Amino acid sequence: MTPPRESEPAEAALRSAVAHSRDPAGRVDAQVTLARFWRERGDYRRAGVLLALTLHAAERIYGADCPEVAAVCNEWGVLGKYTGHFDRSQALYLRALAICENTYGSDHDTVATLCHNLGGLAHARGTHHEGEPWAARSVSIRTRLHGPNHLLVAADRAAWAALLDGCGRPGDAETQLRAALTVFQHVHGAEHYEIAVTTHNLAAIQHRRGHHTAAINGYTRALTLKARLLGGSHPDLATTLVNLATAHRQRGDHEHAAPHYARAIAILTPHVTPDHPTLSAARRGLSLSGTEGPYA
């Protein structure tokens, strides 16, 4: 994630790389990098327009079934998870997975990445039982490739944990999250996006257990770290805001809940579809009806 104060020169450099690339293949790579930058900064509209153009260019340059096309499909799929274009994302991920399995075989990092992403998409849709086998497969592949304490395995464990929790297996989820957090802290130190996400997800487990004070403390830590890393108006803050608000509301503290719901709505509305699950949860919560559990 690019800190806000560093974004302007970074964006200028990426735009320059696109504009001055003389090689069509190099331009495709540069456009994917720029689209990823915009997505990580929360500029979803521009990222989507650029990726649509880039996919057509990649198909023309490489052919429809090449790994370079799979890379563009994967990046566009990631974007769609955030914007709520879930069906399109699933089609893009599955297309990329078929290309990569055909090119590299079933035990490869790119295959693990796509399994991870398919699990993450199912989590965003709330179809946890559908996504859990994808996440388990990603952990299995990467553990065989890298060993159990690798950073990529930790990231896969954290994603798997969210689905395990959604499947009603909070003990298994907490075990995976704590193993992942140990690796993240060892590799990254205290200030990193993965630590913020893992802290959020551990808080969500406490929330589902009805431990509202512990959940509020965890969500608050995660929100503070996300805001410091991403800026206070980044769309990725919204899920933590909704969960924090819900924990306050379920404890009877409507005065603290309402501003967090309102802030989530204000952050998300310009960036996502009107029926996006997190935006819908924030609106329901603000009206003090409907959202009876954490949205993780």
Side-chain angles (χ1 to χ4, degrees):
M1 297 288 175
T2 305
R5 62 183 176 276
E6 298 176 7
S7 64
E8 290 185 8
E11 180 176 358
L14 290 170
R15 283 176 168 276
S16 178
V18 171
H20 295 96
S21 177
R22 298 180 181 179
D23 172 27
R27 176 168 289 187
V28 166
D29 291 343
Q31 288 179 183
V32 170
T33 303
L34 178 58
R36 183 181 303 117
F37 173 85
W38 280 336
R39 187 252 302 163
E40 290 179 346
R41 199 177 64 176
D43 193 343
Y44 297 155
R45 185 191 63 80
R46 283 200 294 179
V49 170
L50 182 57
L51 285 166
L53 295 171
T54 303
L55 181 58
H56 290 306
E59 290 170 334
R60 186 176 64 252
I61 294 165
Y62 296 110
D65 298 318
C66 289
E68 293 83 0
V69 169
V72 182
C73 288
N74 178 60
E75 184 59 37
W76 200 2
V78 172
L79 177 66
K81 186 190 82 166
Y82 289 103
T83 61
H85 295 94
F86 297 142
D87 289 342
R88 182 173 67 197
S89 285
Q90 184 166 11
L92 288 162
Y93 283 149
L94 290 173
R95 179 182 176 188
L97 180 64
I99 292 171
C100 291
E101 286 182 319
N102 184 59
T103 303
Y104 303 120
S106 59
D107 261 11
H108 193 272
D109 267 321
T110 56
V111 173
T113 295
L114 287 158
C115 291
H116 173 113
N117 290 350
L118 281 160
L121 179 63
H123 180 263
R125 301 180 89 154
T127 55
H128 301 107
H129 287 88
E130 177 184 330
E132 190 273 333
W134 288 115
R137 184 181 172 194
S138 70
V139 171
S140 177
I141 292 171
R142 281 221 244 252
T143 301
R144 286 196 297 274
L145 291 173
H146 303 296
N149 297 317
H150 194 276
L151 188 60
L152 290 172
V153 177
D156 288 343
R157 286 187 188 280
W160 186 21
L163 288 156
L164 288 167
D165 192 33
C167 290
R169 298 164 59 186
D172 292 337
E174 185 171 4
T175 297
Q176 296 298 329
L177 281 173
R178 294 201 180 280
L181 185 60
T182 297
V183 175
F184 291 148
Q185 290 172 332
H186 177 73
V187 174
H188 297 308
E191 296 276 320
H192 194 271
Y193 177 72
E194 292 286 5
I195 292 170
V197 171
T198 307
T199 300
H200 168 107
N201 289 339
L202 283 166
I205 290 174
Q206 295 301 317
H207 192 170
R208 267 183 273 275
R209 288 170 169 162
H211 302 160
H212 294 121
T213 298
I216 287 168
N217 291 339
Y219 290 141
T220 300
R221 288 195 299 273
L223 181 64
T224 300
L225 183 52
K226 282 185 178 184
R228 193 155 59 238
L229 292 169
L230 305 177
S233 61
H234 194 285
D236 195 65
L237 274 61
T239 298
T240 305
L241 284 164
V242 169
N243 284 16
L244 176 58
T246 300
H248 278 298
R249 181 170 63 79
Q250 290 173 336
R251 202 169 63 168
D253 189 352
H254 300 291
E255 183 179 352
H256 282 92
H260 294 310
Y261 283 131
R263 183 179 172 195
I265 292 167
I267 287 173
L268 280 180
T269 298
H271 298 291
V272 303
T273 58
D275 61 345
H276 190 280
T278 310
L279 180 58
S280 297
R283 287 173 173 156
R284 288 195 305 269
L286 191 58
S287 69
L288 303 181
S289 64
T291 310
E292 291 302 328
Y295 185 84

Coordinates of all heavy atoms in Angstrom, one line a residue, residues 14 35 75 77 100 123 126 129 150 157 178 183 189 198 222 241 246 249 260 264:
L14 N 5.0 6.2 -12.7 CA 4.3 5.1 -13.3 C 3.7 5.6 -14.6 O 3.7 4.9 -15.7 CB 3.3 4.5 -12.4 CG 3.8 3.7 -11.2 CD1 2.7 3.4 -10.2 CD2 4.5 2.5 -11.7
A35 N -2.4 0.4 -12.8 CA -3.7 0.1 -12.4 C -3.7 -0.4 -11.0 O -4.6 -0.1 -10.1 CB -4.4 -1.0 -13.3
E75 N -5.4 -9.2 -11.9 CA -5.4 -7.9 -11.4 C -6.8 -7.3 -11.5 O -7.3 -6.6 -10.6 CB -4.4 -7.0 -12.1 CG -4.3 -5.6 -11.5 CD -3.9 -5.6 -10.0 OE1 -3.1 -6.4 -9.6 OE2 -4.5 -4.7 -9.3
G77 N -9.6 -9.0 -11.6 CA -10.4 -9.7 -10.6 C -10.3 -9.2 -9.2 O -11.2 -9.1 -8.5
C100 N -3.0 -20.7 -16.1 CA -1.8 -21.0 -15.3 C -1.6 -22.5 -15.0 O -0.5 -23.0 -15.0 CB -1.8 -20.2 -14.0 SG -1.6 -18.4 -14.2
H123 N -15.2 -15.0 0.1 CA -15.4 -14.3 1.4 C -16.1 -13.0 1.3 O -17.0 -12.7 2.0 CB -14.0 -14.1 2.1 CG -14.1 -13.4 3.4 ND1 -13.9 -12.1 3.6 CD2 -14.4 -13.9 4.6 CE1 -14.0 -11.8 4.8 NE2 -14.3 -12.9 5.5
G126 N -19.7 -13.5 0.9 CA -20.4 -14.2 2.0 C -20.6 -15.7 1.7 O -21.3 -16.3 2.5
H129 N -18.5 -21.3 2.6 CA -18.3 -22.7 2.3 C -17.7 -23.0 0.9 O -17.0 -23.9 0.7 CB -19.6 -23.5 2.6 CG -19.9 -23.7 4.0 ND1 -20.7 -22.7 4.7 CD2 -19.6 -24.6 4.9 CE1 -20.8 -23.1 6.0 NE2 -20.1 -24.2 6.1
H150 N 6.9 -19.5 5.8 CA 7.1 -18.5 4.8 C 6.0 -17.4 4.8 O 4.9 -17.6 5.2 CB 7.1 -19.2 3.4 CG 7.7 -18.4 2.3 ND1 6.9 -17.4 1.6 CD2 8.9 -18.3 1.7 CE1 7.7 -16.9 0.7 NE2 8.9 -17.4 0.7
R157 N -2.7 -18.3 5.1 CA -3.3 -18.8 6.3 C -4.3 -17.7 6.8 O -5.4 -18.1 7.3 CB -2.2 -19.0 7.4 CG -1.4 -20.3 7.3 CD -0.5 -20.5 8.5 NE 0.4 -21.5 8.3 CZ 0.1 -22.8 8.5 NH1 -1.1 -23.2 8.8 NH2 1.0 -23.8 8.3
R178 N -3.3 -16.5 14.3 CA -2.2 -16.2 15.2 C -0.8 -16.8 14.6 O 0.2 -16.1 14.8 CB -2.5 -16.9 16.6 CG -3.6 -16.2 17.3 CD -3.7 -16.4 18.8 NE -4.8 -15.7 19.4 CZ -4.9 -14.4 19.6 NH1 -3.8 -13.6 19.3 NH2 -6.0 -13.8 20.1
V183 N 4.3 -14.6 12.0 CA 5.2 -14.4 10.8 C 5.2 -13.0 10.3 O 6.3 -12.4 10.1 CB 4.8 -15.4 9.7 CG1 5.6 -15.1 8.4 CG2 4.9 -16.8 10.1
G189 N 7.7 -6.2 11.2 CA 7.7 -5.3 12.3 C 6.2 -4.9 12.6 O 5.3 -5.6 12.2
T198 N -4.9 -8.6 9.9 CA -5.0 -9.8 10.8 C -5.5 -9.3 12.1 O -6.3 -10.1 12.8 CB -3.6 -10.4 10.9 OG1 -3.0 -10.7 9.7 CG2 -3.6 -11.7 11.8
A222 N -6.8 -1.8 14.6 CA -6.7 -2.1 13.2 C -7.0 -0.8 12.4 O -6.3 -0.5 11.4 CB -7.6 -3.2 12.8
L241 N -14.6 0.1 10.0 CA -15.5 1.0 10.6 C -16.9 0.4 10.9 O -17.5 0.7 11.9 CB -15.6 2.2 9.6 CG -14.5 3.2 9.6 CD1 -14.6 4.1 8.4 CD2 -14.5 4.1 10.9
T246 N -20.7 -1.6 14.7 CA -21.7 -2.7 15.1 C -21.4 -3.2 16.5 O -22.3 -3.4 17.3 CB -21.6 -3.8 14.1 OG1 -21.9 -3.3 12.8 CG2 -22.6 -4.9 14.5
R249 N -22.7 -0.6 18.9 CA -24.2 -0.6 18.9 C -24.7 -1.8 19.7 O -25.7 -1.7 20.5 CB -24.8 -0.7 17.5 CG -26.3 -0.7 17.4 CD -26.8 -0.4 16.0 NE -26.4 -1.5 15.1 CZ -27.0 -2.7 15.1 NH1 -28.0 -3.0 15.9 NH2 -26.6 -3.6 14.2
H260 N -19.3 6.1 13.1 CA -18.5 5.2 12.3 C -19.2 4.6 11.1 O -18.7 4.5 10.0 CB -18.1 4.0 13.2 CG -17.1 4.4 14.4 ND1 -16.0 5.1 14.1 CD2 -17.2 4.1 15.7 CE1 -15.3 5.3 15.3 NE2 -16.1 4.7 16.3
A264 N -18.1 5.3 7.2 CA -18.0 4.2 6.2 C -18.8 4.5 5.0 O -18.4 4.3 3.8 CB -18.4 2.9 6.8

